[in-house]
Amino acid sequence: MRKKITLKQIAKELDVSISTVSKALRNSIEISEDTREKVQAFAKLYNYRPNNIALSLKNRKTKTIGVIIPEIVHHFFAKVIRGIELVANRRGYNVIVGLSNESFDKEVINMQMLANGSIDGFILSISKETLQQQDYHHFNETISQGMPIVMFDRVVNDIICDKVIIDDMKGSKNAVNKLLNNGCKHVAIITTKDYVSVGRLRTQGYLEALEDHKMIPNSNLILKVDDELLSEDHLDSLEDEIEGLFKRNKNIDGIFAVNELYAIIAMKVARKLNMKIPDDIQVIGFTDGVLSKHATPSLTTVSQHGQEMGEKAADLLIDKLEHEEDEERFQTVVIETNLIERESTK
């Protein structure tokens, strides 16, 4: 059976744009007769059949952006959505938000449902299960049919599209340097499993900071948490794991956590063990959320600038939708982080 051909493949073979192929297949008078005949003959030879994604993009603009996020309660994603909506509304677009709930299947279903005539393009952050499985077919299929995607925060290099990220490695390195410069000698990290790209990069920043200070990493000070412990039903188990980290390393005087929740629970455990913050132990968390400001003591954090990330992602997507180019160009925008100092550090 002959493999199904896409608009993108036809465009590449004939050295024209996807837009030209789409218009030629619809007999648009904007395209020369010679080009129309050539495109239509090629499409007929390879039995091309347009799908709903291509039709929704090329035949009728919905002026709507689809946003898919891994979780809804996370303060960071709420900030990103706010940024997307600000730009989208200003530029005359609506926003539909879908939730993958960290599930590969839900991510695929959301994309299929929204792409079926509902939206013009996607802004998304990849679910943990998708990253774990390394199955990205649904992104490639969507892009191949001419529907643009902008990825933010959790991205993969294998997908050729626009991306908006922060410098996770540099942000974490600065945070750990802060702890070391404040006099901490035994800094632990509470992080994710390595398949989550942002956790892996933040762990690398931690290791680089230790190296810069001529300190040898201690595997006993690195706690990689299973995702299942992040659910509300398993937070007690997460607390037990972090308490175990403290009890195995009684000389810990600094904690760097790759997200806000890990940091808040680490402070709770420290108080439970009668440690004074920041006198006995200093704590920094990644992501500046509501909990950080209102914790006791308040938490020093690395700010990800979620709203700015959302604004930039929306501008990139809408620019793609409104300014079609014969030569596709993609960019990765890196947004700088900054350290917000509060009471959990000296």
Side-chain angles (χ1 to χ4, degrees):
M1 183 179 290
R2 203 175 254 162
K3 185 178 179 182
K4 185 178 178 181
I5 197 167
T6 66
L7 281 177
K8 190 173 185 178
Q9 289 169 318
I10 297 174
K12 185 177 180 181
E13 289 291 331
L14 300 180
D15 196 24
V16 295
S17 70
I18 291 174
S19 176
T20 296
V21 172
S22 179
K23 290 175 181 177
L25 291 173
R26 300 198 316 271
N27 270 325
S28 171
I29 59 172
E30 296 177 47
I31 307 301
S32 70
E33 185 177 354
D34 180 60
T35 300
R36 291 202 308 268
E37 289 178 355
K38 184 166 61 174
V39 169
Q40 290 171 13
F42 191 91
K44 184 176 181 181
L45 177 64
Y46 285 92
N47 198 29
Y48 171 77
R49 292 288 183 272
N51 72 1
N52 286 331
I53 293 176
L55 289 173
S56 69
L57 179 64
K58 299 301 179 184
N59 291 353
R60 61 182 191 279
K61 297 283 188 181
T62 67
K63 301 288 282 187
T64 301
I65 293 170
V67 179
I68 298 180
I69 58 172
E71 53 179 309
I72 198 67
V73 296
H74 200 300
H75 183 73
F76 166 69
F77 290 118
K79 285 271 196 178
V80 173
I81 292 171
R82 174 174 169 78
I84 292 170
E85 287 206 313
L86 282 172
V87 169
N89 292 340
R90 186 172 70 239
R91 298 185 64 172
Y93 284 73
N94 297 309
V95 176
I96 296 177
V97 179
L99 179 65
S100 71
N101 202 26
E102 302 290 13
S103 161
F104 169 79
D105 289 341
K106 286 187 177 180
E107 187 174 81
V108 172
I109 291 168
N110 268 305
M111 289 194 73
Q112 290 175 342
M113 180 181 67
L114 291 175
N116 196 14
S118 301
I119 63 160
D120 297 334
F122 284 103
I123 297 173
L124 59 88
S125 184
I126 305 174
S127 75
K128 288 180 181 176
E129 194 171 67
T130 301
L131 291 169
Q132 190 172 23
Q133 295 181 11
Q134 296 183 31
D135 184 345
Y136 310 129
H137 77 275
H138 48 308
F139 304 136
N140 286 319
E141 286 176 4
T142 301
I143 293 168
S144 72
Q145 295 297 339
M147 179 170 281
I149 289 176
V150 177
M151 292 183 173
F152 72 92
D153 190 44
R154 298 184 200 159
V155 305
V156 285
N157 294 330
D158 294 347
I159 307 301
I160 309 303
C161 66
D162 289 318
K163 302 176 179 78
V164 184
I165 59 174
I166 59 165
D167 194 332
D168 286 286
M169 194 181 301
K170 183 178 177 182
S172 62
K173 186 174 179 179
N174 288 342
V176 177
N177 277 332
K178 167 70 176 173
L179 293 171
L180 296 173
N181 291 335
N182 279 3
C184 295
K185 302 296 184 187
H186 306 281
V187 178
I189 181 171
I190 306 172
T191 185
T192 61
K193 298 294 184 180
D194 285 341
Y195 67 81
V196 181
S197 57
V198 293
R200 185 175 65 251
L201 290 169
R202 292 169 194 176
T203 302
Q204 186 61 39
Y206 163 83
L207 295 172
E208 286 192 7
L210 293 180
E211 184 179 343
D212 288 351
H213 282 76
K214 305 293 189 288
M215 300 174 74
I216 299 173
N218 179 352
S219 60
N220 291 326
L221 291 172
I222 300 174
L223 176 62
K224 295 184 179 180
V225 177
D226 283 319
D227 284 341
E228 62 182 26
L229 298 184
L230 288 173
S231 67
E232 192 173 340
D233 294 337
H234 294 91
L235 289 182
D236 288 342
S237 297
L238 174 58
E239 185 175 329
D240 290 341
E241 280 219 27
I242 293 174
E243 186 170 341
L245 172 70
F246 276 74
K247 290 181 175 178
R248 288 191 302 272
N249 302 275
K250 296 188 183 300
N251 55 0
I252 286 180
D253 55 7
I255 291 281
F256 171 61
V258 301
N259 62 43
E260 184 182 54
L261 181 60
Y262 294 170
I264 294 295
I265 293 178
M267 289 203 299
K268 178 184 177 183
V269 169
R271 289 195 303 270
K272 179 180 175 182
L273 297 175
N274 297 317
M275 300 177 76
K276 294 180 180 178
I277 307 171
D279 297 334
D280 299 327
I281 187 167
Q282 300 180 58
V283 184
I284 298 179
F286 219 106
T287 305
D288 186 46
V290 174
L291 295 176
S292 301
K293 299 171 187 174
H294 300 289
T296 305
S298 56
L299 176 65
T300 295
T301 58
V302 179
S303 177
Q304 289 179 270
H305 302 293
Q307 182 171 321
E308 182 182 348
M309 186 175 281
E311 290 175 2
K312 187 61 185 177
D315 273 325
L316 283 173
L317 181 61
I318 295 171
D319 286 346
K320 266 285 191 300
L321 293 170
E322 296 186 347
H323 304 101
E324 291 182 351
E325 299 175 346
D326 286 345
E327 182 182 349
E328 290 181 300
R329 296 181 179 87
F330 301 101
Q331 58 181 307
T332 296
V333 177
V334 181
I335 294 174
E336 290 293 324
T337 62
N338 67 289
L339 198 63
I340 300 175
E341 297 185 37
R342 297 196 181 94
E343 298 167 345
S344 66
T345 53
K346 295 178 181 177

